[in-house]
Amino acid sequence: MKVICIDVDGVLADFVLGFRVLANALYNAPIYTTKEQSKWAFEDLTRAQETSIWNKIKLSSTFWTTLIPLATTQELIKLQLLERLENLYFITNRPGYKAKHQTEEWLCTQGFKNPTVIQQPSGEKGEIVKALKATYMIDDKPENIENILMKSPTTRTYILTQLYNLTHRTDAIRINTLTEFISDLNAT
């Protein structure tokens, strides 16, 4: 049985859009999506503005449940089938009020039956991937990718290409869509 680990934000969910909607409501900042974000940081916001937005997110009982999926309907259906056949874990570093529960609720809304969500600090996902003896892992954040490659070298690790990670050089397998990841899972 395969052990498959999947990051949530930037892979399955459009965190950037949710964050930018809040930034717009609070500071009239432009709204854009994960696919349009060219750098990891929100450079148009001051540190105080960004902290204020994060504080709102952390206090919200619904923020993580309202994000728009990045994955297509077809990709989500294929992952739901994998959930029934393999050990599927969703690893995230979402902070805030009942963030784990909100993430589970969001995944159920997307059609997953019994999602297993593990919260792990950013840049430390390699430890949990290793402990799970994961066969596969997909993430979009370079820091996480490098930590996974270092801590769990036997895990087949994928980086989902986004504009903000294009220049990152890595030994991970670079893919452009979740469909590519799912195809590789089914092929091996």
Side-chain angles (χ1 to χ4, degrees):
M1 188 170 262
K2 297 172 186 168
V3 177
I4 303 162
C5 297
I6 302 173
D7 175 49
V8 181
D9 297 311
V11 175
L12 296 179
D14 197 337
F15 163 75
V16 171
L17 178 60
F19 190 94
R20 296 307 302 194
V21 166
L22 269 178
N24 177 265
L26 294 171
Y27 303 109
N28 203 30
I31 298 173
Y32 54 83
T33 68
T34 295
K35 297 287 184 194
E36 299 167 303
Q37 178 147 334
S38 62
K39 296 188 178 176
W40 188 262
F42 296 109
E43 294 180 342
D44 63 324
L45 299 171
T46 67
R47 183 175 298 276
Q49 289 171 328
E50 194 169 333
T51 298
S52 171
I53 296 165
W54 273 111
N55 287 339
K56 290 234 183 263
I57 291 169
K58 290 174 185 176
L59 293 172
S60 174
S61 61
T62 60
F63 177 82
W64 299 114
T65 66
T66 62
L67 298 181
I68 303 297
L70 281 173
T72 67
T73 301
Q74 188 174 18
E75 289 168 337
L76 288 169
I77 290 169
K78 288 178 181 178
L79 287 172
Q80 291 156 19
L81 291 173
L82 279 172
E83 179 189 30
R84 293 182 183 103
L85 302 171
E86 310 290 355
N87 290 318
L88 197 59
Y89 297 93
F90 300 93
I91 304 178
T92 184
N93 71 328
R94 290 176 164 185
Y97 180 76
K98 294 190 176 183
K100 181 181 184 299
H101 175 76
Q102 287 186 55
T103 303
E104 291 164 345
E105 186 179 326
W106 184 87
L107 288 163
C108 287
T109 301
Q110 305 313 311
F112 293 94
K113 298 296 180 210
N114 294 301
T116 301
V117 173
I118 300 170
Q119 287 181 287
Q120 187 74 4
S122 183
E124 297 179 23
K125 289 184 179 180
E127 292 292 335
I128 195 70
V129 170
K130 180 181 177 182
L132 291 169
K133 297 184 175 137
T135 322
Y136 301 90
M137 174 67 194
I138 183 170
D139 207 307
D140 64 311
K141 188 173 184 180
E143 177 185 8
N144 290 336
I145 293 294
E146 297 315 313
N147 183 261
I148 294 159
L149 289 169
M150 183 178 66
K151 302 280 184 173
S152 187
T154 60
T155 300
R156 196 166 165 92
T157 305
Y158 298 77
I159 185 167
L160 181 61
T161 299
Q162 300 293 3
L163 288 174
Y164 50 79
N165 69 28
L166 270 176
T167 60
H168 181 72
R169 299 173 77 61
T170 181
D171 289 333
I173 301 162
R174 186 172 283 280
I175 56 171
N176 295 311
T177 66
L178 268 174
T179 298
E180 292 175 57
F181 176 68
I182 295 164
S183 295
D184 201 35
L185 293 177
N186 292 328
T188 55

